Amino acid sequence: MPKDLVSIKDISKEETEALIDTALSFKAVLRRDIKKVPALRGKTVVNLFFEPSTRTKTSFELAEKRLSLDVINFAVSSSSVVKGESLLDTVRTIESYGIDYLVIRHPSSGVPHFIAKQTHASVVNAGDGINEHPTQALLDAVTMKERKGGVKGLEVAIVGDILHSRVARSNVDCLMKLGASVRLVGPPTLIPLNPPAGVKVYYDMDDGIRGADVVMMLRIQLERQGKSFFPSTKEFFKYWGLSAERLVLADKDALVMHPGPMNRGIEIASDVADCPQSVILEQVTNGIAVRMAVIYMLQ
Amino acid sequence: MMNKELLNKQDIERILSRIAHEIMEKNKGPEKLCLVGIQRGGVHIAHRLSARIDMIEHVSVPVGSLDISLYRDDISRRKKLPIVRKTDIPFDISEKVIVLVDDVLFTGRSIRAALDALMDFGRPAQIQLAVLIDRGHRELPIRADYVGKNIPTARNENIEVQLEEESAEEKVVLISGE
């Protein structure tokens, strides 16, 4: 296992599978009365979030506490960063506290990669700009493996705002590595001009999800969109939203996934989000188990 | 490297039969008894002991499996991929008599970790320890209640327990160092 997890590309297929299996073991720990294990007692983690995040930060923090890590949350808005300290100085200062792990989220792509090279601590990327979100891809793979028995051979449709989605980017890499076939579905304005080799692109939602084993809806990232990529949210739902009528086109046992937070009525109909095929809340639980596995296994 | 076979399949079966009898003798009946095997070898041995107790007393003693990697004290010194195997204890251990089962007792550190792990599941009335091989070199004040065979070893030697659940052949081998 490498020192850091900044990209899904950093880990081999075998390491990815080992992480998924370990996450499933950690999930069993989370079902116990005592949900804490002493595995990383005496080690320290700093959560360094340069971008607003509630669920990912909470998930990491819970995972860290379940592993008995000492957890420091470095709140960027109230730190010296607003006084003009450079990123590297911030990291060097934090490293001087004597930490072992650094979980970082940053609005700019590539920041965790840069920091990983500058520090002895293990760096986990909790999302960098529109680039990568490796732990999300791993938790999605865990959910698929648990519900479908495996990831290999699954037809996975990723739908919506692919262009601005680090979740999509990491998922494509992870799913292809594990042998799934990946479809990207959405309006042409929200699909990259050069999609990764091997994925199929659909501009028509009905074609895109037909027969799929997994329908993964993405959040429309209104905050990252400087310009108009589609006329209105209403029109987006009409053409690329997941409604109950559309879902029947997918395999009858298809899983409905969403990384959250959901825009109900924009990319996913409210009744679909709560239907028996939806594993959206399971993804949240698996997120804690995956983050425990990642932090535990990095070397 | 020299390999020496210490026990064959028949030896192992006789030993397990004896330990099953000893467990019953010491505990005067199996009502509160549970077996917990330490991953991986201990789990197979625990299942076999349970089957033998069933043959002797016609009762089924529940079996759990315990992975101790999250409780080890050498995590910062690990080299290979630390896979966490399944812990599955499908019964309440509180007020029960637990027989912890492992294949080889060596430094005692695994047993220390197993005791800590078990305590997170409840408060057993008693914990006993059964091992197939005791090879000595304890680093902690731990001893087994049931020992299959005491085998004096040198530190650079290794004991390999091959069980038919995982290997082609069933035997215990002493692998000597250089």
Side-chain angles (χ1 to χ4, degrees):
Chain A
M1 218 29 99
K3 168 174 97 66
D4 313 293
L5 180 68
V6 294
S7 166
I8 283 289
K9 295 189 189 82
D10 294 346
I11 47 176
S12 69
K13 178 167 180 269
E14 289 67 34
E15 287 167 335
T16 308
E17 284 166 349
L19 274 169
I20 292 170
D21 289 341
T22 306
L24 288 169
S25 297
F26 276 118
K27 200 177 177 186
V29 173
L30 296 173
R31 283 193 290 260
R32 296 181 192 168
D33 279 348
I34 296 177
K35 297 175 176 63
K36 204 180 181 78
V37 290
L40 297 180
R41 208 163 51 97
K43 306 228 179 247
T44 307
V45 58
V46 170
N47 296 321
L48 185 57
F49 278 63
F50 290 92
E51 199 182 57
S53 161
T54 311
R55 52 200 63 225
T56 304
K57 194 172 164 196
T58 306
S59 179
F60 266 107
E61 194 172 337
L62 206 47
E64 293 154 359
K65 288 183 170 168
R66 297 298 191 221
L67 289 167
S68 300
L69 280 157
D70 290 322
V71 181
I72 311 281
N73 287 306
F74 204 85
V76 171
S77 59
S78 59
S79 80
S80 292
V81 174
V82 293
K83 297 174 190 161
E85 187 179 53
S86 79
L87 180 65
L88 193 53
D89 284 336
T90 302
V91 170
R92 295 233 165 101
T93 304
I94 291 172
E95 192 177 27
S96 305
Y97 299 153
I99 62 156
D100 305 286
Y101 300 92
L102 190 56
V103 175
I104 182 159
R105 166 168 285 195
H106 199 282
S108 299
S109 302
V111 166
H113 309 65
F114 167 72
I115 289 174
K117 291 195 187 84
Q118 306 292 333
T119 173
H120 297 295
S122 281
V123 173
V124 181
N125 181 358
D128 61 323
I130 59 166
N131 187 37
E132 283 232 42
H133 194 353
T135 57
Q136 177 72 42
L138 289 169
L139 77 88
D140 289 336
V142 166
T143 309
M144 289 178 216
K145 171 151 190 193
E146 200 175 31
R147 282 307 200 96
K148 293 284 183 189
V151 177
K152 196 177 176 192
L154 290 180
E155 284 281 338
V156 182
I158 306 178
V159 185
D161 185 354
I162 312 286
L163 191 63
H164 300 96
S165 177
R166 54 195 177 204
V167 174
R169 226 169 300 276
S170 288
N171 252 301
V172 168
D173 291 341
C174 185
L175 290 167
M176 304 276 276
K177 200 196 300 265
L178 296 173
S181 38
V182 181
R183 312 172 184 179
L184 300 178
V185 188
T189 48
L190 288 177
I191 291 198
L193 284 173
N194 299 304
V199 305
K200 286 165 280 184
V201 171
Y202 294 84
Y203 300 127
D204 182 280
M205 173 82 171
D206 292 358
D207 292 342
I209 67 168
R210 191 165 283 125
D213 299 301
V214 177
V215 181
M216 185 186 293
M217 301 305 297
L218 299 174
R219 185 170 64 91
I220 291 297
Q221 306 205 27
L222 297 165
E223 79 276 17
R224 285 192 210 283
Q225 298 180 0
K227 51 182 176 170
S228 295
F229 290 89
F230 50 88
S232 70
T233 52
K234 206 173 154 195
E235 187 164 325
F236 185 87
F237 181 74
K238 186 177 167 204
Y239 289 103
W240 293 284
L242 187 62
S243 61
E245 302 80 66
R246 269 214 174 101
L247 181 57
V248 298
L249 295 171
D251 185 79
K252 67 175 172 41
D253 298 318
L255 303 179
V256 174
M257 302 177 73
H258 193 299
M262 281 185 277
N263 296 308
R264 286 178 187 254
I266 299 181
E267 68 261 358
I268 186 165
S270 204
D271 56 341
V272 172
D274 303 324
C275 77
Q277 280 168 266
S278 163
V279 291
I280 294 169
L281 292 176
E282 228 167 284
Q283 288 174 269
V284 177
T285 309
N286 291 342
I288 301 169
V290 154
R291 288 166 183 134
M292 288 174 82
V294 167
I295 294 172
Y296 174 71
M297 291 183 86
L298 289 179
Q299 273 164 332
Chain B
M1 280 215 299
M2 284 269 293
N3 291 0
K4 186 180 157 207
E5 184 174 308
L6 302 169
L7 299 175
N8 61 27
K9 183 172 160 58
Q10 208 175 24
D11 298 329
I12 293 170
E13 276 173 2
R14 285 192 185 116
I15 284 171
L16 293 181
S17 295
R18 193 195 82 228
I19 292 179
H21 277 105
E22 284 176 356
I23 290 173
M24 299 321 297
E25 185 188 6
K26 182 166 173 143
N27 294 291
K28 313 269 188 289
E31 290 75 32
K32 288 169 74 182
L33 207 58
C34 303
L35 299 171
V36 173
I38 298 177
Q39 291 275 20
R40 308 176 51 134
V43 178
H44 300 310
I45 297 175
H47 278 286
R48 290 200 204 175
L49 287 173
S50 174
R52 278 178 167 74
I53 292 171
D54 196 356
M55 260 161 42
I56 303 163
E57 305 258 332
H58 306 291
V59 283
S60 67
V61 175
V63 180
S65 61
L66 190 65
D67 181 278
I68 57 161
S69 40
L70 300 173
Y71 293 82
R72 297 193 71 91
D73 57 11
D74 55 359
I75 187 154
S76 52
R77 293 199 255 156
R78 67 194 177 185
K79 284 179 197 74
K80 51 180 195 210
L81 216 55
I83 306 243
V84 181
R85 297 183 198 287
K86 230 169 105 186
T87 291
D88 183 19
I89 301 182
F91 44 82
D92 182 10
I93 67 166
S94 296
E95 301 310 316
K96 298 279 170 45
V97 175
I98 307 287
V99 180
L100 199 56
V101 183
D102 205 357
D103 46 8
V104 179
L105 178 57
F106 181 29
T107 60
R109 289 179 190 270
S110 299
I111 305 303
R112 198 281 308 158
L115 291 174
D116 276 358
L118 265 184
M119 294 304 179
D120 278 358
F121 284 86
R123 188 181 184 280
Q126 201 184 17
I127 301 178
Q128 302 168 1
L129 177 60
V131 297
L132 183 61
I133 306 291
D134 183 349
R135 60 166 291 195
H137 302 285
R138 215 75 77 242
E139 293 169 2
L140 297 171
I142 282 170
R143 61 161 186 80
D145 301 273
Y146 315 99
V147 179
K149 194 169 174 61
N150 283 296
I151 297 174
T153 57
R155 265 204 167 268
N156 62 353
E157 289 173 326
N158 213 346
I159 296 277
E160 198 175 274
V161 175
Q162 299 175 9
L163 299 172
E164 62 187 5
E165 286 90 342
E166 308 231 352
S167 308
E169 215 183 335
E170 178 147 313
K171 59 185 175 188
V172 175
V173 186
L174 177 75
I175 299 166
S176 47
E178 293 76 59

